[in-house]
Amino acid sequence: MRILFIGDIIGRPGRSIVKSRLTEFKNKEHIDFTIANAENLASGFGVTRKTLDELFHSGVDFCTSGNHIWDRKEVLQFIDDEPRLIRPANYPRSVPGHGWTVTETEDYRIGIMNLSGRVFMEPLDNPFLIFDEIIDDVRSKTSIILLDFHAEATSEKIAFGYYVDGRVSAMVGTHTHVQTADECILPGGTAYITDVGMTGGHDSVIGVHKEPIISRFLSMTPSKFAPAEEDLRISYVIIDVDPSTGKAQSITRGQIKNGK
Ligand SMILES: [Fe+2]
Ligand SMILES: [Fe+2]
């Protein structure tokens, strides 16, 4: 089966290129299931019911997230009841939402997991240990499993890839918004990439207008960020999984540019 994973979608510009280009791309690539990281969906910070529904209408089947998932408080009202959205599993147990799920298409059953790294990030529970707590449960239901590891440090992501190798079909990194060129199949059969990159305006500093960011570095005082609109791209990977074993057969990295 073919899974399309789309990196962090940034605000309205990110949503707009997904809306205009996704359906055609899915048909061309014979995609069976589409997952996107939605933590920056609403103006770059968090998700709202409206922006999430817009994404589902554009052809995304499922959303993972990360540290920004809590930026819009309204998410607390629907995250427990929305089966197509998960947040990192290593938040404290009392936090709303779920960190993994198993979902079904007409032909396949797919496990989707979300974990956050801890290096240069919030001191959440140890993702390595939380993964061990969850994985047997997921594997008892399906061998097709995609993990979004939302983390800052390349070293932590690579270590996590080797740790989960052979136990998930794919581990895709998110959060840095910069696509890495290290996609591979690890020795145990897990497809891996350190970061899928972001979906939105690439004439920017990781998706937002450059000037306020530079000004902040110069003045060390806060400035207002807004999603960039120029050089729109969808950053993605496509993973082919053998459904009988759950092993990845290939991983292809790319960017869909507006007008091309
Ligand atoms: Fe992000
Ligand atoms: Fe993030």
Side-chain angles (χ1 to χ4, degrees):
M1 79 168 292
R2 301 201 94 189
I3 300 172
L4 171 66
F5 186 94
I6 297 173
D8 303 34
I9 299 171
I10 318 292
R12 186 189 299 271
R15 299 197 311 274
S16 76
I17 187 169
V18 171
K19 189 175 181 182
S20 63
R21 303 299 301 278
L22 181 60
T23 302
E24 171 206 357
F25 184 75
K26 277 168 59 178
N27 290 338
K28 183 169 80 107
E29 295 290 343
H30 307 290
I31 299 299
D32 295 301
F33 196 73
T34 301
I35 305 169
N37 187 298
E39 72 154 0
N40 306 110
L41 207 55
S43 309
F45 299 95
V47 298
T48 57
R49 184 71 260 177
K50 194 164 161 267
T51 53
L52 199 61
D53 285 342
E54 187 185 322
L55 202 63
F56 292 141
H57 285 136
S58 298
V60 170
D61 297 306
F62 194 92
C63 289
T64 55
S65 64
N67 52 306
H68 283 297
I69 187 63
W70 315 112
D71 290 353
R72 297 298 185 100
K73 292 291 164 254
E74 69 166 85
V75 75
L76 298 172
Q77 289 160 23
F78 63 79
I79 194 166
D80 270 330
D81 305 316
E82 174 49 77
R84 297 164 294 177
L85 172 66
I86 54 175
R87 46 80 174 161
N90 47 333
Y91 276 96
R93 288 184 198 283
S94 58
V95 167
H98 306 283
W100 65 275
T101 193
V102 174
T103 188
E104 291 189 25
T105 68
E106 259 176 44
D107 303 313
Y108 305 107
R109 196 183 260 197
I110 305 149
I112 304 150
M113 305 171 71
N114 202 179
L115 283 156
S116 172
R118 301 196 297 178
V119 178
F120 307 125
M121 296 186 81
E122 295 283 330
L124 302 181
D125 290 343
N126 188 323
F128 291 74
L129 301 179
I130 298 293
F131 175 85
D132 285 342
E133 280 180 22
I134 296 168
I135 190 61
D136 288 347
D137 222 352
V138 185
R139 284 179 69 87
S140 71
K141 297 176 174 68
T142 180
S143 59
I144 305 168
I145 303 165
L146 181 134
L147 162 67
D148 175 351
F149 189 58
H150 194 78
E152 178 75 29
T154 303
S155 56
E156 189 180 24
K157 288 159 122 169
I158 294 174
F160 210 83
Y162 282 115
Y163 190 66
V164 303
D165 183 23
R167 296 193 282 171
V168 297
S169 309
M171 177 196 131
V172 296
T174 57
H175 177 70
T176 70
H177 296 193
V178 178
Q179 189 174 75
T180 56
D182 61 344
E183 75 278 14
C184 63
I185 308 286
L186 295 173
T190 294
Y192 173 87
I193 186 166
T194 297
D195 209 292
V196 179
M198 63 91 174
T199 294
H202 278 66
D203 182 15
S204 68
V205 175
I206 62 169
V208 301
H209 282 299
K210 295 172 287 199
E211 291 73 17
I213 302 279
I214 293 168
S215 148
R216 188 168 95 153
F217 280 115
L218 284 169
S219 68
M220 299 308 290
T221 56
S223 52
K224 197 168 170 15
F225 300 162
E229 289 122 23
E230 300 301 318
D231 192 10
L232 292 184
R233 303 180 206 171
I234 298 175
S235 297
Y236 70 86
V237 288
I238 295 172
I239 300 139
D240 279 296
V241 180
D242 178 347
S244 61
T245 62
K247 305 262 187 215
Q249 296 162 315
S250 69
I251 175 167
T252 310
R253 163 179 60 88
Q255 290 187 324
I256 304 165
K257 298 180 185 179
N258 233 0
K260 289 174 195 158

